[in-house]
Amino acid sequence: MMTLFHWEKLSPTEFLQLQEYITYANKKLKDVLSEFTGDTNSGQYKQDEAIDFARFCTFINMYLVNVPEELCRHLFLSFLKKTGPPPTLGSISERNPSTVSENEASQLVRQATVDNGRRSMSQKSITSILNISDSGDLWLRQSFAEKGRSLLRRRSTDIQTGFISLKDVVCCLSLLEAGRPEDKLEFMFRLYDSDSNGILDASEIECIINQMMTVAEYSGWDVSELKPILEEMMQEIDYDSDGTVSLDEWKRGGLTNIPLLVLLGMDSTLTDEGTHLWRLKHFNQPAYCNLCLSLLLGVGKQGLCCTFCKYIVHERCASRAPAHCILTYCKSRKVSHPMNHHWVEGNCAGKCDRCKKFIKAYNRVTGRRCRWCKITLHNRCASQVNPDCDFGEFREHILSPLHICPAVLGRKRRVQADLRDSETGDAGISEITDDGKQSTETGSVSGSLKIIPSSSSIPLLVFVNPKSGGKQGTRILRKFQYLLNPRQVYNVMCDGGFFPGLQFFKDLPRFRILCCGGDGTVGWLLDSMDKMNFEVRSPVAVLPLGTGNDLARCLRWGGGYDGENLRKVLHHISNSTVVMMDRWQIEFSSTDDTGDDVDPIPCDIINSYFSIGVDASIAHRFHVMRERHPEKFNSRMKNKLWYFEFGTSETLSATCKNLHENIDILCDGVALDFSTGPSLEGIAFLNIPSIYGGSNLWGDTPRLKKRKKTNQTSKDRDRECSSGSMSSSDLSLTLQDVGDNLIEVVGLLNCIHVAQVKGGIQAGRRLAQCSSVVIRTRRRFPMQIDGEPWMQPPCTIAVTHKNQVPMLMAPHASKKLSFFGFFRKQ
C-alpha cells in the first residue's frame, strides 16, 4: 500500500542524523559562512541572496564531513519554496520516470488535479476528470499515465532549477549548533539584520520566528499554539516598545527568557532526550547484547548498561545503538492518550507476570520488561497485555512524562518586567499561571520544563549527596534514576544544589522530598527551602548516608543505609506519617576581648543539637586532623579509632575543666545555678533525642514514657518545670519531643561521662527545658552545631525558636518474634 511522502521536511531519522553531523563538526558555522561568502572560487555571495543546489552542497561540505548525498538533497528540498502541487509519492519520487507504472502515474495526476482544481475548477469538473482516470478504457489510462510521468520529470528538475535562501539555511543550522548563548544571539542578530541598521524590524523578526517553528516541528513539539507564544515573547524583549528590537534588547531578553533559550537551542537540559546514559557494569549472571544478540563475555566489567532503561550492549556496539531511551517529558500540552509501556527486550530473569511461568533467558535474548511499571513478560504474552502503562506499584511516587512539558507551552500570558528591576540585577519575568497566581521566573534557576499538576499522584523529589557514605550515594543516584523519572532525581553536588529541583516542583500542591545524605545534607536542604518561601512546605524523608545520622535515627529511618532494596524505602515513604520538627535560630555577639584568630561559625540554625565543652573539643580535634591528613580518614573503623585516641587525650588534658565557672546560662530569663551541683566540662542543647550516633543524652526510657502517659501532666506544669523550679524531681517527669517548641539543656561531667552516654550506660545531667536560651562565655571554648565544630572566643549567644518544618517519620519496623521471645512475652 502506497503512502504520500511530503518533501516539505526531513524525516525524524534524517533530522537526528543531521544533529549528529553538527555535533561532530570541526568548524563553527560562523567561520564557515565567512569562508563561503569570501571564497573567490565560489563567487561572492551575500547572506540575503539565494543559492542553488550545487552551491548548497559546497556550503554543507565545507561545514560538515562526509554528509550523504541523499541527506543533502532532502535538506535542500526542505528549504525549497514550492508554489506548485504538493509532493509526489515517496516510493516513486526517486525512481526513473520511465519505470513508473500506470497506476502510480495516474495517482500523481489525480493528486495534482484535486489540488489544482481546488483553486481553479469546480467540484463537478474535478469529479468528472477523476471518473475518466478510473475508467476501463485502455487509451485513457495510458494517457493519464503519460501525464503522470511527465509531471514526475518536471518535479525531478526542481532540485536542479530551484533556489533557496542562504540566510534560512544558516539560521536553521545555528539553532542546532552548540555554543555560548551570547555568541549565538549576536550571530543570529547580525544574520537577520539585512540592512545593517542595528535593529530588527517586524519582517526580520518574522523570519526568525519561522525558522524557530521549523526546528521545533522537527523536534516533535506541539506547534499548534507555539507561533503566538513566540510572537508574544518577541514583543516582551522590545523593552522600549518602539516596534523594533536592538542588539542590546535582543541579548538582554534572550539571556533572561528561558523559554526563548530553549527554542534557540541554547538550553542543554532538553538536548539529550532519548539518549542512553551508559556505564560499564559487571553482570552477576549471563547477559546478552540487545544489538548483536550475542553473549557478553569477560571477567571484569563485560559491557555497557543504560542507567535509565537497562539497555545492554557491548562496548563495540554502543556507537550503533539506536537512541530510543525513555522520554522523560512530553513536547505537547494537549496529550489525551495514556502512557504506553516502554519495552526493553532480553535479560529478563524471573517469572512472567501474566502466565506466572519462568522466562528462559539464559541462552538467548528473550522476554521483555517495561521500564516504567517494571512488569516482565514473555514475548508471546506481551501482545495480550494492555498497552497502557499504569507505572506499577510506585505510581504514587513517579512523575509521569505526560505531566511535564516545555515551559514555553505552559505559559498563558506574561507581564513585562519593570526596566528598573532588570537594571538592578533582577532578571525575573512575572508570569500569570493557570490558577491566576503570579510567580517569578529567574535566569539563575532552570525553567526549561514545567510540571502540570495532577491530583492522582504525590510525586517524590529525590536529592542525593554522592559524597556521603563513600560510594553509596552514586549507586543510590543510579537506582532512583531507574525506579523513578530521572527528571525528579537530583545530584546536589553537580546540579546546582537544591534550588533547581525545588524550583521545578514549587508549583505542585502536593509532593514529598527524600534527602539521601547525612545530617549536614538535611540541614542544607531545610535552609534552601527557607529561601524558597514555600506557601506550604512539603515533608522531608531521610535516607541516612552519613556517619552519625542522629536526625534520621530519631525519625526511625535508621542509623545508616546498609544496601537494602530501595523499593522497601519507597514503601516506607508511602506509609510514613508527618511530624513537625522545631528549628532554632542561634546568634553570636562577640565581646571586646579578642586578639585571637576567630574561626567562622558554620551555620546559624540548630536542627539537631548545639554543644559547648568536652564533646566539642574531641570533635574539633578530629576535624582539624582530618583537614590536615584526609588520607588517614578513609574508613569508618579508622574514624572510630581516631575518636578513641582524641577522647583519651582529652581525658588526660581536661581542656574544658570547670567550664561552669566561666559560663552563665539564662533559660527563659531564669539563671541556672551551678554552685550546688558537680563540676561540668560540657553543656549540650538538644532539639532531638539522639546524639553521638544514636545515644539518648536526655535519658528517656520506655518505662519513663509509660509512667508519663499515666501521669498526664498538663503543658502548664511542663512550662513551670522548665522556667521556674528547675528541680531534678520536676525535670525527671518531662519528656523530650521534636515538636514541642522546647529545647533541652543537659550537662556533661567529663570525657568518661561522654563515653558512658555513648555506650548507653548513663544519661546526661538534666538542667532545664525551655523555649529560649541566653549564654555568656568568659573565655575561649570549643563549640559545635550539628557536628560542625569550631573554636569560639568569649561571646554572648542567643538561642530562639525559628520555625517548625514537616518531616516524615518512618513506620515502626515489624519485629519477628523469636521462639524464646514468645515465652518471654507470655
Side-chain angles (χ1 to χ4, degrees):
M1 182 177 181
M2 299 186 180
T3 57
L4 290 176
F5 184 86
H6 295 282
W7 287 110
E8 297 174 357
K9 65 177 184 178
L10 300 176
S11 66
T13 303
E14 290 173 331
F15 182 70
L16 292 176
Q17 188 179 6
L18 178 62
Q19 284 182 313
E20 291 184 3
Y21 278 108
I22 295 177
T23 301
Y24 296 103
N26 297 325
K27 298 180 180 179
K28 291 293 183 181
L29 185 60
K30 182 178 180 181
D31 300 333
V32 174
L33 181 62
S34 301
E35 182 181 352
F36 180 77
T37 55
D39 189 357
T40 57
N41 297 327
S42 300
Q44 297 291 336
Y45 278 86
K46 296 183 179 180
Q47 298 172 4
D48 296 335
E49 296 185 2
I51 58 175
D52 57 8
F53 179 67
R55 299 301 183 186
F56 173 77
C57 293
T58 302
F59 177 79
I60 292 297
N61 291 328
M62 291 173 61
Y63 179 42
L64 307 177
V65 180
N66 298 328
V67 180
E69 182 181 355
E70 181 181 6
L71 177 61
C72 193
R73 182 171 65 254
H74 292 178
L75 184 60
F76 180 83
L77 290 173
S78 66
F79 288 103
L80 193 61
K81 307 296 183 182
K82 288 182 169 54
T83 57
T88 61
L89 293 174
S91 58
I92 319 172
S93 57
E94 299 181 13
R95 290 163 48 188
N96 192 321
S98 61
T99 63
V100 178
S101 65
E102 292 183 3
N103 293 334
E104 293 171 338
S106 299
Q107 190 172 353
L108 298 179
V109 178
R110 290 168 56 85
Q111 180 185 350
T113 302
V114 172
D115 293 318
N116 288 333
R118 290 195 181 104
R119 296 188 294 269
S120 59
M121 302 171 62
S122 65
Q123 183 65 31
K124 183 177 181 180
S125 301
I126 297 174
T127 306
S128 62
I129 292 177
L130 296 181
N131 290 335
I132 292 175
S133 66
D134 291 335
S135 66
D137 192 299
L138 179 62
W139 181 85
L140 289 176
R141 286 192 287 106
Q142 290 179 349
S143 176
F144 266 79
E146 184 59 30
K147 289 182 179 181
R149 296 188 182 99
S150 177
L151 178 62
L152 183 59
R153 292 190 191 96
R154 292 198 304 270
R155 293 186 181 181
S156 63
T157 60
D158 286 346
I159 196 170
Q160 303 297 334
T161 60
F163 288 85
I164 62 176
S165 172
L166 177 61
K167 181 190 299 183
D168 293 342
V169 175
V170 175
C171 180
C172 182
L173 296 179
S174 67
L175 294 176
L176 303 177
E177 185 183 49
R180 296 175 63 247
E182 298 87 346
D183 298 337
K184 294 186 68 175
L185 286 169
E186 184 174 359
F187 174 64
M188 187 173 292
F189 184 91
R190 303 294 185 190
L191 183 66
Y192 275 88
D193 185 15
S194 305
D195 47 9
S196 301
N197 59 353
I199 59 174
L200 297 176
D201 55 23
S203 61
E204 294 167 342
I205 292 177
E206 181 70 19
C207 293
I208 296 178
I209 292 177
N210 291 334
Q211 290 305 317
M212 293 167 66
M213 289 279 292
T214 301
V215 175
E217 187 177 5
Y218 278 139
S219 302
W221 285 52
D222 181 13
V223 296
S224 59
E225 56 177 347
L226 188 58
K227 188 170 184 178
I229 293 176
L230 288 176
E231 293 174 347
E232 186 178 356
M233 285 194 298
M234 291 299 180
Q235 293 176 0
E236 289 176 3
I237 65 177
D238 181 17
Y239 293 101
D240 53 6
S241 301
D242 60 351
T244 59
V245 178
S246 64
L247 178 59
D248 292 337
E249 290 175 332
W250 176 253
K251 284 186 176 182
R252 175 179 160 193
L255 293 176
T256 57
N257 194 322
I258 293 178
L260 184 59
L261 288 176
V262 175
L263 293 172
L264 290 176
M266 302 173 195
D267 192 285
S268 60
T269 59
L270 306 183
T271 56
D272 297 331
E273 185 73 357
T275 304
H276 294 289
L277 181 62
W278 302 115
R279 71 179 184 92
L280 280 171
K281 183 179 179 181
H282 171 73
F283 299 93
N284 297 325
Q285 56 187 2
Y288 291 83
C289 176
N290 286 100
L291 194 65
C292 66
L293 308 182
S294 60
L295 182 66
L296 273 67
L297 301 176
V299 179
K301 296 180 178 180
Q302 301 101 328
L304 299 174
C305 179
C306 177
T307 300
F308 296 159
C309 66
K310 302 300 181 183
Y311 191 85
I312 299 173
V313 294
H314 292 98
E315 289 187 68
R316 62 178 181 270
C317 300
S319 59
R320 297 184 289 111
H324 56 32
C325 193
I326 60 170
L327 300 179
T328 59
Y329 70 96
C330 184
K331 296 181 180 179
S332 174
R333 186 180 172 88
K334 301 178 180 179
V335 178
S336 58
H337 59 81
M339 188 76 179
N340 293 330
H341 291 289
H342 183 94
W343 298 112
V344 178
E345 294 189 359
N347 305 296
C348 301
K351 290 184 178 181
C352 175
D353 289 313
R354 189 182 184 279
C355 65
K356 307 304 179 183
K357 296 181 180 179
F358 281 100
I359 300 176
K360 300 178 181 179
Y362 54 83
N363 57 351
R364 60 191 176 94
V365 176
T366 182
R368 56 179 58 186
R369 177 186 291 109
C370 176
R371 184 264 178 232
W372 291 109
C373 64
K374 308 300 184 293
I375 185 175
T376 304
L377 300 172
H378 288 104
N379 292 337
R380 64 179 181 273
C381 297
S383 60
Q384 305 174 18
V385 176
N386 189 348
D388 299 340
C389 181
D390 61 354
F391 296 98
E393 58 179 334
F394 301 123
R395 66 179 67 92
E396 178 187 9
H397 300 299
I398 296 177
L399 181 61
S400 172
L402 300 182
H403 296 153
I404 307 176
C405 70
V408 64
L409 298 179
R411 55 184 271 152
K412 289 296 182 182
R413 65 183 186 273
R414 290 196 178 260
V415 182
Q416 182 174 332
D418 192 1
L419 292 176
R420 292 176 298 180
D421 296 339
S422 298
E423 292 174 358
T424 57
D426 184 7
I429 298 179
S430 298
E431 179 181 355
I432 306 300
T433 57
D434 297 342
D435 55 1
K437 296 180 181 180
Q438 187 172 0
S439 62
T440 302
E441 181 177 89
T442 60
S444 60
V445 179
S446 176
S448 305
L449 296 172
K450 181 177 181 179
I451 301 178
I452 303 173
S454 174
S455 59
S456 60
S457 65
I458 309 177
L460 181 66
L461 174 60
V462 181
F463 293 107
V464 182
N465 186 352
K467 291 187 177 181
S468 299
K471 296 182 180 180
Q472 286 183 324
T474 305
R475 291 196 300 269
I476 288 175
L477 178 68
R478 293 196 303 260
K479 291 180 180 179
F480 273 122
Q481 286 175 337
Y482 177 69
L483 290 173
L484 307 174
N485 190 332
R487 296 283 179 186
Q488 60 188 112
V489 183
Y490 288 83
N491 182 345
V492 298
M493 304 306 297
C494 299
D495 299 336
F498 296 96
F499 288 106
L502 294 175
Q503 181 68 25
F504 186 39
F505 277 69
K506 185 177 181 180
D507 295 333
L508 284 182
R510 296 190 307 163
F511 67 95
R512 301 186 184 103
I513 300 176
L514 175 61
C515 183
C516 305
D519 290 348
T521 306
V522 178
W524 182 17
L525 169 62
L526 297 178
D527 291 341
S528 301
M529 295 180 70
D530 288 338
K531 298 176 182 178
M532 293 295 296
N533 296 322
F534 285 98
E535 294 183 4
V536 179
R537 296 183 66 134
S538 298
V540 179
V542 183
L543 183 62
L545 299 181
T547 53
N549 303 314
D550 292 299
L551 183 57
R553 291 174 189 271
C554 73
L555 295 175
R556 301 197 199 117
W557 293 107
Y561 177 72
D562 54 359
E564 64 178 332
N565 196 332
L566 293 181
R567 298 169 182 262
K568 184 178 179 181
V569 176
L570 294 178
H571 284 300
H572 285 339
I573 294 175
S574 300
N575 300 324
S576 60
T577 57
V578 178
V579 296
M580 302 304 295
M581 186 185 75
D582 297 323
R583 300 176 72 222
W584 301 84
Q585 183 81 36
I586 183 169
E587 298 178 353
F588 294 82
S589 57
S590 301
T591 61
D592 297 334
D593 179 26
T594 185
D596 300 329
D597 295 335
V598 179
D599 295 339
I601 300 173
C603 56
D604 57 353
I605 301 294
I606 302 175
N607 295 310
S608 300
Y609 59 89
F610 164 62
S611 66
I612 307 173
V614 57
D615 59 336
S617 177
I618 298 174
H620 184 260
R621 293 186 182 187
F622 179 87
H623 175 74
V624 172
M625 181 61 72
R626 185 172 56 180
E627 291 292 325
R628 294 177 180 175
H629 306 283
E631 69 279 359
K632 297 181 180 180
F633 300 83
N634 53 10
S635 70
R636 291 186 178 181
M637 180 56 66
K638 288 185 179 180
N639 293 349
K640 292 180 179 180
L641 293 176
W642 279 109
Y643 269 116
F644 177 77
E645 178 180 343
F646 293 136
T648 303
S649 61
E650 177 64 27
T651 304
L652 300 176
S653 59
T655 58
C656 300
K657 188 177 181 179
N658 296 326
L659 174 140
H660 61 282
E661 297 179 357
N662 297 285
I663 190 171
D664 298 325
I665 300 178
L666 278 75
C667 297
D668 292 339
V670 178
L672 295 183
D673 185 11
F674 297 110
S675 59
T676 58
S679 62
L680 301 178
E681 293 188 14
I683 296 176
F685 304 85
L686 307 178
N687 183 48
I688 61 174
S690 180
I691 194 174
Y692 310 147
S695 301
N696 193 335
L697 188 57
W698 185 250
D700 281 346
T701 61
R703 182 179 179 183
L704 182 59
K705 291 181 180 179
K706 185 176 181 180
R707 180 182 176 186
K708 179 64 178 179
K709 289 180 181 179
T710 57
N711 240 348
Q712 292 185 357
T713 56
S714 62
K715 292 184 179 180
D716 296 336
R717 181 180 177 183
D718 288 341
R719 177 63 63 126
E720 181 183 355
C721 293
S722 62
S723 61
S725 62
M726 298 296 177
S727 63
S728 59
S729 59
D730 293 333
L731 288 176
S732 63
L733 300 177
T734 60
L735 288 176
Q736 187 180 15
D737 189 84
V738 296
D740 56 359
N741 293 335
L742 298 175
I743 191 169
E744 288 73 31
V745 185
V746 185
L748 296 169
L749 303 181
N750 47 44
C751 191
I752 297 178
H753 187 199
V754 174
Q756 291 174 340
V757 171
K758 174 65 178 174
I761 301 174
Q762 284 191 5
R765 180 171 179 248
R766 298 185 180 187
L767 300 178
Q769 190 181 43
C770 53
S771 59
S772 63
V773 181
V774 177
I775 308 165
R776 297 186 184 92
T777 60
R778 291 186 287 273
R779 72 179 182 91
R780 186 183 180 95
F781 282 116
M783 301 181 184
Q784 64 171 340
I785 298 178
D786 296 344
E788 298 293 333
W790 80 101
M791 293 298 296
Q792 178 66 34
C795 63
T796 300
I797 306 170
V799 180
T800 56
H801 189 268
K802 177 179 175 61
N803 59 7
Q804 284 189 331
V805 294
M807 304 293 291
L808 289 176
M809 180 170 286
H812 288 283
S814 57
K815 296 182 179 180
K816 296 183 179 180
L817 190 62
S818 64
F819 178 77
F820 295 102
F822 174 78
F823 291 100
R824 189 181 303 113
K825 184 177 180 181
Q826 296 299 325

